[in-house]
Amino acid sequence: MTTTTYLVIAVVALFFLVIFQISKAAEYVSVLKGEEQSRKQTNKVNAFLMLGFMILGLFGVWYCNHLLYHKTLLPLESASVQGERVDSMLWVTIMITGSVFIITQILLFWFAFRYQEKENRKVFFFPHSNKLEVLWTVVPAITLTILIIIGLRNWFYFTGDAPDNAMKIEITGRQFGWIFRYPGKDKTFGKKYYKLIDDADNSLGLIWKDNAAMNLKDDPATHDDIITESTVYVVKNKPVKLIIGSRDVIHDVGIAQFRLKMDAVPGIPTTMWFTPKFTTKEMQEKTGNPNFQYEISCDQMCGNGHYSMRGVIEVVTQEEYDMWMIKQKPKYFAAFPDKDPANKKDSTVTATAVTPK
Amino acid sequence: MSNEAVLHTPSSYAVHDDHAHDHHHHETFITKYVFSQDHKMISKQFLITGMVWALIGGLLSVLFRLQLGYPDSKFPWLQDLLGKFWVEDGRITAQAYYALVTTHGTVLIFFVLTAGLSGTFANFLIPLQIGARDMASPFMNMLSYWFFFAASCVMFSSLFVETGPFSGGWTAYPPLSALGQASPGSKTGMDLWLISMALFVVSTLLGGLNYVATVLNMRTKGMSMTRLPLTIWALFFTAVLGILTFPVLFSGFILLIFDRNFGTSFYLSDLYVNGTVLPNEGGSAILYQHLFWFLAHPEVYIVMLPAMGMVSEILSINSRKPIFGYIAMVGSLFAITCLSLLVWAHHMFVTGLNPFLGSIFVLFTLLIAVPSAIKVFNWLTTLWRGNIRFTPAMMFAIGFVSLFISGGLTGIWLGNSALDIHLHDTYFNIAHFHLVMGVASFFGMFAGVYHWYPKMYGRQLNNTLAYIHFWVTMIGAYLIFWPMHYEGLAGMPRRYYDYSIWESFKQFAELNRFISTVVIIVFATQFLFLFNFFYSIFKGRKATNPNPWGANTLEWTTPIHPGHGNWPGEIPEVHRWAYDYGKDDREFIPQTEPVGANESHH
Ligand code: HEM
Ligand SMILES: [Cu+2]
Ligand SMILES: [Cu+2]
């Protein structure tokens, strides 16, 4: 430990000592002065502080908003069509709960101040009032019903079926990263079986050759599946349906800018769909942040690397997407280089050439 | 008259059999302070053990807030103090960070706000306020504490095992919690965590059954259920909830133990972990979450209700005015108890839950806001046109209401699944449940301690220290948790060790530093309370007034130092409800006073 540490400890200890001494002294004084009188004095001070707390508190609420609002997602419109609905619902909820917050907090601290103990005050013996109680049962109930209706309409829209033209992408969580799969030209995801997973060349366990021991047959649909890690490309204004899974523990696909998230549960696939509204480039301009990325954050505790389980969604135009897609090679060819037509062509042209490993 | 003389006046002699325990046999140190069967001593044991855990839990949060607030700083002295496992190169390790967070959550929710809160006040207040000599089964009551103590020891020992304590979050979701190869914390640390929690469940059940039996059977003459103080109603419903839900948690843990140790696949299916394929197929990881939340949602009310009960009592006493809407208060406690059993899946909206099922849970979840709203409005009306005395307990009670409003309102956001899909597992959620459950219940607990301290120890606490404690904690709580809503609204996920690699979340570095600094100050301030508490046990001013707050309830009719058996003479008879304050120009009318001939009716 350094001397500064000792110094800090000494100062803190001294500070506490002073507080204790003052508190003890205050007690003695109150006994000497007459306890009832000093109690009344303290009562006034505390009543006043209650009022002060309310005023400063409300100011603090405003000030906190002033400092932090622009750091949230709210100033920018949502980057997905679905997120717009989340936002509008959020605003209705803020308005309602915000007004209740302000009214009830003001009443609480105002009553505390206003009805502080006074010599001749006669309290109002008021044990109940059916009218009032019915009032504040019915009004919250009606308000909540409205919120429920708005909420459930959105909920069924979010969890409902994705449109038919949606692009399907599979996303699989693992400790600690994301694996993406596109179905390839045949538009079908080939079958997979978790016992075939091998981090060397088959990270998802695709069934791409016969396996007698496990009684599995090669599924040709796997042969054109495209697998990428950490970054996934999607097209602006085109709905995307994610089919979500996990290899090991529970993860969660969270995309804050789209206002959505869904768990990745091993053994139980889940889905989520959304329609991105802006390309990554557009967002970089809108946010004024050249480093802006749509980040996939893992939102479910999944182990010691949870905080670093980052994926990126690159939202691009259709042309850019097509350009990118052309360059992708099915994973099958990496596992079986001899099946790759590109390699075959090479070997027929120069039979003697050594194909690089 | 000497104490002995008071004890042996003829009237008390007549009921000699009633208080067979009273002052007759000699008590040794062991039977009086250690294996005591006196509910008052057991309650103090719960309280002090709870305080030790609160201190540990708080300290853990200071440590992990150091990491969040000062991710680039190095703390070599911490490394000297804690060793390589926890701190490496002067930085808290990720493994240690998650172990700290997990242990913090577990011990605060279960050991402090369940055992420390219910254990203390159910034990202390139920017999004293219903007019009973002790609990229905003092022996079971003692066992309840010692099971808690054993659970504490096991949990504490897990801090010292080589692979560290459990680190998968207090919710302990499998497969992470089931598989040692998925995380070092899921090895021995998790075994100890499960053993500790199993012991804890036993403790809670032993205690809870006792509380329920005592409230139902041992009320004094005239103490009908509708004359019970609200504290007792709240503690009663708390115990009922615990009895109904803890066994479900227990079964969930048993299955987890089987999956961990005996090769079953209740929660496990299709796993490839750390380079190996596991044989388990056909289990469901989601099943655990249903079993867990079936307890853990009611658990938040198990934590809340005792605080609500005590706050109702304290607000009424110190406003010198009856609690407003007693029947509605009991009714809303009952409604909360029932509804809280039907909302568990609101923690699971994004697990792929069937959307229709989800919508039912939205409905019930938002419905529970109605009884909560009733309570808030009734508390406000209780203050209205009162004559308020700001005792330290009253300050904390008012603080409780404020925090409960702030945290409760955001429950309406999270309970609406379409919003939860955005805010789930972000800092918004952290802000919500810390305000509504964490800090608010703590305030209820502080209020209770400040209010009943003279009854517990026959001495008074220092008021100046109490007021400083209140104001710093109140302001600090808001400074810590209010800004977290904004982090949540940026989508910042909870349980992250470091945000600096995230373009979307790193803008809060400065705020995190601010929050961590406030955490340290608020934590330090709690020592004022601890000092006040322990110092006053021995050196506090002696209580001279057996009823210092001018309260109506029965505990204040006992002597300043009640013996084992509580009332030296006959147990008093009750003639009215507990809230005749300010009635007919009388400041207060104790429950023991018969209804006068010309007394007004309400
Ligand atoms: C107005 C009534 C309330 C409503 C509508 C409500 C709703 C919710 C919802 C929906 C969540 C899940 C959020 C998420 O995980 O994304 C949640 C979380 C939580 N709530 Fe509440 N709540 C209410 C009151 C309370 C109370 C009174 C307590 C405690 C006494 C409490 C404690 C908690 C806790 C501990 C969590 C976090 C659970 C976790 O680890 O994920 N809530 N609340
Ligand atoms: Cu994760
Ligand atoms: Cu819940």
Side-chain angles (χ1 to χ4, degrees):
Chain A
M1 292 210 214
T2 59
T3 36
T4 35
T5 325
Y6 285 119
L7 210 67
V8 170
I9 293 175
V11 170
V12 171
L14 197 69
F15 185 68
F16 272 82
L17 206 69
V18 170
I19 292 184
F20 292 137
Q21 289 307 327
I22 292 177
S23 308
K24 268 295 351 135
E27 204 169 62
Y28 290 132
V29 171
S30 89
V31 173
L32 290 179
K33 249 189 7 197
E35 277 189 78
E36 193 51 23
Q37 199 196 335
S38 67
R39 189 183 70 73
K40 284 190 175 142
Q41 242 167 29
T42 326
N43 217 61
K44 277 199 195 111
V45 173
N46 276 315
F48 184 75
L49 288 175
M50 285 277 168
L51 188 68
F53 181 81
M54 176 187 94
I55 294 168
L56 282 180
L58 290 176
F59 172 76
V61 167
W62 170 83
Y63 187 63
C64 180
N65 188 61
H66 172 75
L67 286 182
L68 298 176
Y69 180 73
H70 68 276
K71 297 191 175 187
T72 69
L73 292 164
L74 294 174
L76 281 179
E77 62 188 305
S78 160
S80 76
V81 174
Q82 291 67 23
E84 287 170 4
R85 295 208 185 188
V86 173
D87 281 358
S88 79
M89 194 178 151
L90 198 85
W91 280 113
V92 175
T93 314
I94 290 184
M95 290 306 163
I96 293 175
T97 55
S99 359
V100 176
F101 172 81
I102 291 180
I103 293 169
T104 48
Q105 298 281 6
I106 288 182
L107 287 181
L108 175 67
F109 290 105
W110 173 248
F111 287 169
F113 173 74
R114 171 71 180 72
Y115 299 107
Q116 60 178 291
E117 188 179 39
K118 284 269 162 65
E119 208 63 58
N120 310 316
R121 174 172 291 133
K122 199 171 155 312
V123 305
F124 177 39
F125 187 81
F126 189 42
H128 69 106
S129 150
N130 290 343
K131 239 193 255 159
L132 280 179
E133 282 161 280
V134 169
L135 177 77
W136 52 62
T137 309
V138 172
V139 173
I142 293 174
T143 319
L144 288 165
T145 311
I146 296 170
L147 289 174
I148 292 172
I149 291 171
I150 301 175
L152 289 186
R153 284 176 57 173
N154 288 337
W155 171 244
F156 285 120
Y157 170 63
F158 298 156
T159 55
D161 287 333
D164 290 337
N165 67 336
M167 176 168 145
K168 293 193 183 61
I169 303 174
E170 184 193 77
I171 171 168
T172 305
R174 62 170 176 82
Q175 287 180 319
F176 299 96
W178 300 103
I179 307 167
F180 305 95
R181 175 159 71 130
Y182 295 84
K185 292 206 184 66
D186 65 356
K187 304 218 158 114
T188 19
F189 291 106
K191 291 202 187 72
K192 55 181 187 172
Y193 184 46
Y194 80 100
K195 287 192 178 168
L196 298 177
I197 294 176
D198 178 350
D199 265 332
D201 62 359
N202 194 357
S203 59
L204 293 174
L206 300 186
I207 306 176
W208 50 29
K209 63 176 182 210
D210 294 340
N211 184 325
M214 293 187 206
N215 199 11
L216 299 171
K217 263 221 150 80
D218 175 21
D219 180 7
T222 58
H223 297 187
D224 63 350
D225 287 1
I226 288 168
I227 293 178
T228 68
E229 296 226 351
S230 52
T231 305
V232 65
Y233 282 72
V234 302
V235 177
K236 172 180 163 174
N237 288 335
K238 189 165 175 187
V240 180
K241 176 176 177 176
L242 294 182
I243 297 144
I244 304 168
S246 165
R247 280 186 358 184
D248 38 41
V249 303
I250 301 179
H251 303 274
D252 181 285
V253 181
I255 313 165
Q257 280 85 8
F258 296 161
R259 318 282 197 265
L260 295 171
K261 62 172 59 77
M262 183 55 71
D263 279 358
V265 186
I268 309 173
T270 56
T271 61
M272 165 168 102
W273 70 278
F274 54 84
T275 319
K277 276 166 53 189
F278 308 110
T279 63
T280 302
K281 276 207 201 81
E282 282 167 346
M283 280 303 273
Q284 288 171 349
E285 277 160 31
K286 277 173 89 86
T287 56
N289 176 1
N291 300 321
F292 173 87
Q293 290 284 3
Y294 290 108
E295 288 172 313
I296 301 178
S297 55
C298 178
D299 286 350
Q300 182 61 256
M301 178 62 198
C302 58
N304 292 345
H306 171 53
Y307 69 97
S308 58
M309 193 165 156
R310 179 172 178 269
V312 170
I313 302 188
E314 200 72 53
V315 182
V316 295
T317 60
Q318 185 71 49
E319 298 84 70
E320 288 169 312
Y321 176 80
D322 293 340
M323 290 285 287
W324 173 80
M325 198 37 131
I326 278 174
K327 283 188 262 161
Q328 303 306 308
K329 245 191 197 175
K331 193 71 179 178
Y332 181 69
F333 298 143
F336 304 97
D338 51 318
K339 301 273 171 61
D340 190 341
N343 291 344
K344 265 190 201 137
K345 210 159 93 204
D346 268 14
S347 50
T348 45
V349 174
T350 48
T352 50
V354 184
T355 41
K357 266 216 160 175
Chain B
M1 226 173 2
S2 77
N3 218 9
E4 279 304 290
V6 175
L7 279 171
H8 293 101
T9 48
S11 78
S12 80
Y13 230 67
V15 288
H16 186 97
D17 283 30
D18 263 30
H19 57 113
H21 290 296
D22 211 308
H23 292 278
H24 289 273
H25 39 246
H26 265 295
E27 288 185 301
T28 63
F29 181 83
I30 300 275
T31 57
K32 180 149 186 221
Y33 293 105
V34 184
F35 294 108
S36 171
Q37 298 191 16
D38 180 351
H39 70 101
K40 296 185 291 300
M41 183 52 66
I42 295 175
S43 106
K44 290 175 200 170
Q45 293 173 328
F46 269 110
L47 179 59
I48 290 175
T49 315
M51 281 163 66
V52 170
W53 274 116
L55 193 66
I56 297 174
L59 184 67
L60 300 181
S61 72
V62 169
L63 290 176
F64 68 70
R65 276 308 317 188
L66 277 182
Q67 162 60 25
L68 283 183
Y70 308 90
D72 312 319
S73 309
K74 302 214 160 176
F75 307 99
W77 52 274
L78 258 186
Q79 187 163 347
D80 298 342
L81 216 63
L82 300 176
K84 257 290 214 344
F85 172 80
W86 298 89
V87 186
E88 212 175 286
D89 284 335
R91 276 192 76 183
I92 291 167
T93 61
Q95 159 79 16
Y97 177 85
Y98 287 119
L100 290 168
V101 172
T102 303
T103 314
H104 161 85
T106 310
V107 305
L108 281 168
I109 289 188
F110 291 109
F111 291 2
V112 182
L113 293 177
T114 306
L117 185 61
S118 282
T120 303
F121 290 103
N123 267 310
F124 194 73
L125 294 179
I126 289 178
L128 280 172
Q129 287 197 332
I130 66 171
R133 300 257 178 233
D134 205 319
M135 284 288 170
S137 166
F139 180 70
M140 256 167 76
N141 209 21
M142 178 184 81
L143 279 187
S144 159
Y145 173 74
W146 287 103
F147 269 98
F148 170 47
F149 187 80
S152 295
C153 292
V154 176
M155 186 64 76
F156 192 70
S157 71
S158 81
L159 293 171
F160 301 98
V161 298
E162 193 186 343
T163 45
F166 178 52
S167 58
W170 78 282
T171 48
Y173 285 178
L176 182 62
S177 62
L179 303 170
Q181 54 284 43
S183 164
S186 301
K187 297 187 164 118
T188 319
M190 184 57 185
D191 287 322
L192 293 173
W193 191 91
L194 281 169
I195 295 170
S196 170
M197 287 306 300
L199 290 168
F200 183 80
V201 172
V202 175
S203 156
T204 315
L205 290 177
L206 287 171
L209 289 167
N210 230 331
Y211 307 149
V212 170
T214 310
V215 173
L216 289 181
N217 297 320
M218 305 196 39
R219 301 187 310 276
T220 183
K221 191 159 173 230
M223 182 65 92
S224 59
M225 290 299 271
T226 48
R227 284 180 181 165
L228 285 176
L230 286 169
T231 30
I232 302 301
W233 273 112
L235 291 164
F236 174 72
F237 284 127
T238 305
V240 170
L241 264 183
I243 293 169
L244 291 177
T245 56
F246 267 106
V248 177
L249 179 77
F250 196 73
S251 65
F253 285 165
I254 296 288
L255 301 189
L256 187 53
I257 290 173
F258 271 69
D259 273 7
R260 288 172 58 78
N261 301 306
F262 306 121
T264 55
S265 308
F266 292 109
Y267 305 134
L268 305 176
S269 188
D270 300 13
L271 303 168
Y272 175 86
V273 182
N274 217 350
T276 34
V277 169
L278 301 188
N280 313 70
E281 284 182 82
S284 161
I286 301 299
L287 170 64
Y288 172 87
Q289 299 188 17
H290 283 290
L291 297 175
F292 179 82
W293 287 113
F294 187 78
L295 159 93
H297 186 78
E299 170 65 20
V300 306
Y301 290 96
I302 289 174
V303 161
M304 253 350 268
L305 294 180
M308 288 177 163
M310 293 192 290
V311 162
S312 305
E313 183 76 12
I314 290 166
L315 283 178
S316 167
I317 291 173
N318 291 295
S319 304
R320 314 308 292 153
K321 195 168 162 279
I323 187 79
F324 180 77
Y326 174 83
I327 293 296
M329 287 307 238
V330 176
S332 58
L333 286 175
F334 180 66
I336 288 176
T337 305
C338 295
L339 284 172
S340 76
L341 292 166
L342 299 171
V343 301
W344 76 89
H346 67 206
H347 300 269
M348 301 167 58
F349 285 141
V350 302
T351 55
L353 188 74
N354 176 316
F356 175 72
L357 206 60
S359 68
I360 304 287
F361 281 98
V362 171
L363 194 69
F364 283 128
T365 301
L366 292 203
L367 218 58
I368 217 170
V370 174
S372 308
I374 294 175
K375 297 202 87 75
V376 168
F377 289 123
N378 283 6
W379 285 323
L380 291 178
T381 315
T382 302
L383 292 179
W384 180 63
R385 295 183 64 183
N387 196 22
I388 300 170
R389 292 183 185 164
F390 294 104
T391 62
M394 183 64 168
M395 307 290 279
F396 277 99
I398 293 174
F400 169 92
V401 178
S402 171
L403 291 160
F404 183 72
I405 294 171
S406 303
L409 285 170
T410 48
I412 295 172
W413 303 39
L414 295 169
N416 222 336
S417 52
L419 276 183
D420 188 56
I421 211 169
H422 175 35
L423 298 170
H424 179 75
D425 268 352
T426 64
Y427 264 77
F428 193 88
N429 189 15
I430 301 282
H432 158 70
F433 78 77
H434 276 90
L435 286 174
V436 79
M437 169 174 82
V439 194
S441 293
F442 253 99
F443 270 46
M445 194 163 162
F446 284 134
V449 172
Y450 281 112
H451 189 76
W452 280 286
Y453 193 87
K455 189 83 265 162
M456 287 181 167
Y457 293 103
R459 291 178 188 262
Q460 295 170 11
L461 289 163
N462 181 299
N463 278 340
T464 312
L465 285 178
Y467 291 126
I468 300 176
H469 175 221
F470 169 76
W471 283 112
V472 177
T473 311
M474 177 80 176
I475 295 168
Y478 272 111
L479 287 180
I480 293 167
F481 293 112
W482 187 265
M484 286 186 188
H485 292 110
Y486 288 84
E487 300 185 321
L489 288 171
M492 188 168 123
R494 64 193 277 208
R495 294 171 173 165
Y496 269 29
Y497 165 68
D498 188 353
Y499 292 91
S500 57
I501 62 162
W502 295 85
E503 204 49 51
S504 313
F505 315 124
K506 67 180 184 194
Q507 69 269 35
F508 292 111
E510 205 182 326
L511 175 62
N512 278 335
R513 192 164 339 121
F514 171 76
I515 291 176
S516 294
T517 313
V518 181
V519 168
I520 294 169
I521 295 171
V522 172
F523 179 70
T525 306
Q526 305 314 306
F527 283 93
L528 296 184
F529 170 72
L530 286 176
F531 177 82
N532 200 0
F533 184 92
F534 287 107
Y535 179 85
S536 304
I537 291 180
F538 305 105
K539 292 279 177 72
R541 285 196 304 136
K542 291 215 167 77
T544 45
N545 182 351
N547 188 2
W549 318 120
N552 290 341
T553 38
L554 289 181
E555 75 271 30
W556 305 107
T557 64
T558 60
I560 287 178
H561 288 282
H564 197 167
N566 297 338
W567 286 269
E570 220 169 325
I571 301 180
E573 188 183 337
V574 164
H575 298 278
R576 58 176 74 237
W577 74 333
Y579 298 102
D580 274 335
Y581 294 101
K583 188 182 182 193
D584 296 343
D585 284 335
R586 301 258 320 264
E587 219 202 310
F588 65 103
I589 313 177
Q591 282 189 282
T592 47
E593 189 175 313
V595 180
N598 350 330
E599 205 171 297
S600 59
H601 283 281
H602 61 261

